[in-house]
């Protein structure tokens, strides 16, 4: 019998007002239903926001080090349950088990790191220009914030939003992706067990067009923090602008690896495989474009294809599997549509390019690792985010040419270069327009204590990760204390 899960509102587990539900299924075997979840509507969102609003005055006045103690306990519980959470993630999201465990570890790292900020939340002190006057700036919480998260990192990304929001003194309404509601529920259960007061964190399940849209439009929100597609992010930004809400967006990527002729070709191939096919290409930092210097292009291609042919798709719980399924049927159809687009544009398909349907693949959403050559950098498959295991190999002659290709897309999240020449490395660091640049490593592997985010349509200038995330979840307040005993007028001189 399918287990029934509920929303968490004002400290109580409850179903949707409408009584409607949806199922979470295993993308490697759609016959396996992992649970039934409430399909929430506007009335459920209203309850969640009201609970968060009511809890804000008391939670914001809890000293930040005390708020952080709850996060430290949550981190301890996450660590204790890492294996269980990783297995559930592979069942629900599909990524192979070692990647799922890495996702959980990233959530653990973020939770402990940001909990440490509870004893800092650093502002500034600075000399006043007037005698007997003190001046400083402090951080204050915003109020009720919405955390709207995607399915590809169903544990890590929620911690990137929820933990800093709570440590800063905000209250949260958490709306996870409808493809991964079980992991979201388990995360909220951990925060509850860690001692989070009622109403401080509220969980609303449902679809974007129902619960998500109602949440974004709610007048009592101070901030919407969203990770997902550019199309949805744009609509959120427009809607938030109408109410003067803050909005933090982390969206798409069309990331690239440059391989110079002086680079370690074998290391570059390892990085390209990981970047292209890790998480089945379902990462905003995935490397879907490989720019290979022409003098080594043929050799790189031969060695790369030999390795691609050995990549084994399958159930992520099988230790021999290298790449799990696509998340759902709609995304599988999208990935395959880009194969047809690429062939229609004149690119040459060397391997893959088809849905895997036979045998163990029959009941899942599996796609073969796909490689294109004869690709013009202006083609759609080289410009648009596919979010699947599809990669284009493009030759270049000079580094400046490759950097121009890298910068030619509307995104600017992650990038990489393989080279032994320090001049090449620093030229790439300087001239590539992206939020992240790796040297001699792949495009994926962000660390929580460094800023994460991108430029152009990848986001709207905010950063998650590191102490920079506090600029998203706090407001600056400037404080002046005049103890001169007389009226002093700044900038006014006698």
């Amino acid at each position: 019998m399918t287990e029934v899960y509920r929303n968490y509102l004002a400290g109580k587990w409850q179903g949707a007002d409408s009584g409607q539900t949806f199922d979470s299924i295993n993308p490697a075997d759609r016959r396996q239903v992992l649970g039934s979840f409430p399909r929430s509507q506007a009335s459920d969102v209203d309850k969640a926001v009201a609970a968060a609003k009511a809890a804000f005055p008391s939670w914001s006045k809890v000293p930040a080090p005390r708020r952080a103690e709850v996060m430290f306990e949550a981190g301890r519980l996450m660590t204790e349950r890492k294996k269980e959470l990783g297995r559930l993630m592979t069942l629900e999201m599909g990524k192979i088990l070692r990647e799922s465990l890495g996702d959980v570890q990233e959530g653990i790292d973020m939770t402990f790191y940001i909990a440490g900020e509870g004893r800092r939340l650093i502002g500034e002190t600075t000399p006043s220009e007037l005698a007997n006057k003190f001046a400083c700036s402090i951080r204050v919480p915003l109020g009720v914030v919405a955390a709207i998260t995607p399915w590809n990192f169903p544990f890590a990304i929620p911690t990137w939003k929820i933990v800093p929001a709570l440590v800063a003194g905000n209250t949260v309404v958490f709306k996870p992706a409808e493809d991964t509601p079980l992991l979201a529920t388990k995360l909220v259960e951990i925060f509850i067990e860690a001692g989070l007061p009622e109403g401080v964190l509220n969980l609303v399940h449902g679809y974007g067009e129902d619960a998500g849209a109602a949440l974004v439009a709610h007048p009592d929100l101070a901030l919407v923090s969203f990770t997902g597609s550019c199309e949805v992010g744009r609509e959120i930004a427009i809607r938030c602008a109408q109410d003067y809400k803050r909005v933090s967006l982390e969206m798409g990527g069309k990331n690239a690896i440059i391989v110079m002729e002086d680079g370690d070709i074998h290391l570059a191939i390892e990085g390209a495989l990981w970047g292209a096919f890790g998480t089945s290409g379902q990462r905003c930092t995935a490397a879907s474009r490989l720019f290979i210097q022409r003098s080594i292009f043929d050799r790189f291609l031969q060695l790369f294809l030999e390795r691609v042919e050995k990549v084994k798709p399958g159930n992520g719980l099988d230790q021999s599997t290298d790449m799990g399924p696509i998340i759902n049927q709609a995304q599988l159809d999208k990935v395959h549509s880009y194969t047809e687009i690429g062939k229609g544009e004149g690119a040459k398909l060397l391997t893959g390019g088809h849905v895997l349907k036979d045998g163990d693949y029959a009941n899942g959403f599996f796609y073969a690792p796909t490689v294109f050559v004869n690709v013009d950098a202006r083609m759609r498959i080289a410009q648009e985010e596919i979010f699947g295991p599809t990669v284009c190999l493009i030759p270049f002659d000079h580094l400046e040419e490759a950097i121009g290709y890298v910068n030619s897309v509307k995104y600017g999240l992650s990038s990489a270069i393989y080279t032994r020449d320090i001049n090449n490395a620093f030229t790439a660091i300087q001239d590539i327009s992206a939020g992240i640049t790796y040297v001699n490593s792949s495009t994926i592997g962000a660390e929580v204590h460094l800023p994460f985010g991108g430029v152009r349509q990848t986001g709207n200038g905010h950063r998650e990760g590191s102490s920079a995330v506090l600029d998203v979840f706090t407001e600056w307040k400037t404080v002046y204390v005049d103890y001169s005993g007389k009226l002093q007028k700044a900038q006014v001189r006698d």
Side-chain angles (χ1 to χ4, degrees):
M1 185 173 178
T2 302
E3 188 165 356
V4 176
Y5 295 89
R6 294 176 171 83
N7 293 328
Y8 185 68
L9 310 176
K12 296 179 176 60
W13 295 99
Q14 50 192 286
D17 286 346
S18 67
Q20 292 182 307
T21 62
F22 67 95
D23 291 338
S24 176
I25 65 169
N26 180 350
D29 185 352
R30 71 192 80 180
R31 297 169 300 179
Q32 183 179 9
V33 179
L34 302 173
S36 175
F37 295 83
R39 182 164 181 169
S40 304
Q41 309 289 331
S43 63
D44 305 295
V45 169
D46 287 342
K47 291 179 183 178
V49 175
K53 184 178 180 181
F56 174 71
S58 58
W59 178 247
S60 63
K61 290 180 175 59
V62 173
R66 301 285 82 80
R67 298 193 296 254
E69 286 174 2
V70 179
M71 302 302 109
F72 278 119
E73 176 61 11
R76 186 192 69 79
L77 292 169
M78 293 174 192
T79 304
E80 189 178 88
R81 297 171 193 174
K82 179 179 175 180
K83 290 183 179 179
E84 171 197 346
L85 292 165
R87 184 177 183 279
L88 285 175
M89 188 181 304
T90 293
L91 287 172
E92 187 173 46
M93 185 267 156
K95 67 176 72 174
I96 62 176
L97 183 57
R98 59 181 176 271
E99 289 188 21
S100 293
L101 292 170
D103 189 325
V104 177
Q105 186 61 52
E106 187 172 336
I108 293 167
D109 293 343
M110 177 57 73
T111 300
F112 281 130
Y113 173 77
I114 292 296
E117 291 298 317
R119 289 196 174 271
R120 287 184 288 268
L121 289 181
I122 294 170
E124 295 178 327
T125 59
T126 184
S128 171
E129 64 185 56
L130 298 173
N132 299 318
K133 185 179 180 182
F134 173 81
C136 72
S137 61
I138 60 174
R139 294 183 183 272
V140 296
L142 302 173
V144 180
V145 305
I148 303 176
T149 60
W151 45 262
N152 61 333
F153 280 83
F155 197 85
I157 290 178
T159 67
W160 284 54
K161 300 179 187 299
I162 293 170
V163 177
L166 295 177
V167 168
N170 303 286
T171 53
V172 178
V173 177
F174 174 27
K175 193 284 178 193
E178 56 267 27
D179 288 295
T180 50
L182 180 55
L183 260 294
T185 299
K186 296 301 178 182
L187 177 59
V188 170
E189 289 175 352
I190 285 173
F191 283 120
I192 295 167
E193 189 174 339
L196 204 62
E198 294 180 0
V200 172
L201 174 61
N202 302 272
L203 172 65
V204 179
H205 291 295
Y207 286 75
E209 59 266 30
D210 302 323
L215 182 57
V216 169
H218 203 286
D220 289 334
L221 284 184
L223 164 75
V224 174
S225 178
F226 168 79
T227 298
S229 71
C230 283
E231 294 75 20
V232 174
R234 180 177 181 274
E235 293 305 311
I236 288 174
I238 291 170
R239 185 62 188 83
C240 288
Q242 295 173 14
D243 298 328
Y244 302 97
K245 288 189 190 83
R246 286 189 175 201
V247 60
S248 174
L249 303 174
E250 202 286 298
M251 300 180 289
K254 189 67 177 175
N255 313 292
I257 295 175
I258 297 172
V259 183
M260 304 297 295
E261 61 187 3
D262 64 88
D264 183 329
I265 193 169
H266 298 288
L267 182 63
I269 287 169
E270 292 294 330
L273 287 164
W274 175 227
F277 306 121
T279 322
S280 307
Q282 298 173 119
R283 292 181 179 230
C284 54
T285 54
S288 57
R289 299 181 297 160
L290 306 179
F291 296 106
I292 316 300
Q293 198 154 22
R294 197 176 302 276
S295 59
I296 60 167
F297 185 87
D298 291 341
R299 182 174 176 229
F300 183 98
L301 178 60
Q302 177 188 351
L303 294 172
F304 183 68
L305 281 175
E306 289 173 0
R307 293 295 304 278
V308 173
E309 296 291 346
K310 296 176 182 177
V311 172
K312 180 186 174 185
N315 191 310
L317 293 178
D318 182 342
Q319 292 187 353
S320 67
T321 295
D322 300 309
M323 191 182 85
I326 302 300
I327 187 63
N328 56 35
Q329 185 65 53
Q331 186 60 28
L332 185 67
D333 292 343
K334 177 186 174 184
V335 171
H336 186 62
S337 74
Y338 272 100
T339 295
E340 298 304 314
I341 288 168
K343 291 190 294 185
E345 290 179 312
K348 183 177 181 181
L349 176 65
L350 293 184
T351 189
H354 59 274
V355 177
L356 299 171
K357 300 179 180 179
D358 299 329
D360 293 339
Y361 301 126
N363 296 302
F365 307 114
F366 293 96
Y367 203 77
T370 300
V371 177
F372 277 102
V373 294
N374 294 354
V375 177
D376 187 295
R378 294 166 293 185
M379 289 179 178
R380 288 182 62 189
I381 58 168
Q383 289 284 315
E384 299 175 12
E385 186 176 42
I386 299 172
F387 225 62
T390 301
V391 65
C392 304
L393 277 71
I394 302 174
F396 70 91
D397 293 305
H398 306 291
L399 177 57
E400 294 76 12
E401 178 188 6
I403 291 173
Y405 290 150
V406 172
N407 293 343
S408 69
V409 296
K410 65 182 180 180
Y411 306 103
L413 180 53
S414 191
S415 58
I417 183 170
Y418 283 83
T419 181
R420 291 188 178 95
D421 187 327
I422 193 170
N423 296 322
N424 290 336
F426 275 89
T427 297
I429 292 167
Q430 172 183 275
D431 292 344
I432 289 176
S433 177
I436 304 167
T437 297
Y438 293 87
V439 177
N440 295 327
S441 187
S442 192
T443 56
I444 56 183
E447 300 180 30
V448 301
H449 55 289
L450 293 164
F452 182 89
V455 300
R456 297 190 295 284
Q457 291 185 29
T458 287
N460 63 339
H462 295 294
R463 292 293 183 269
E464 295 187 337
S466 82
S467 59
V469 73
L470 297 174
D471 288 332
V472 174
F473 292 106
T474 59
E475 186 71 85
W476 283 108
K477 176 180 280 191
T478 299
V479 178
Y480 299 105
V481 180
D482 192 320
Y483 53 97
S484 68
K486 59 184 179 181
L487 177 63
Q488 300 193 91
K489 299 176 181 177
Q491 293 93 42
V492 176
R493 301 286 193 269
D494 291 331

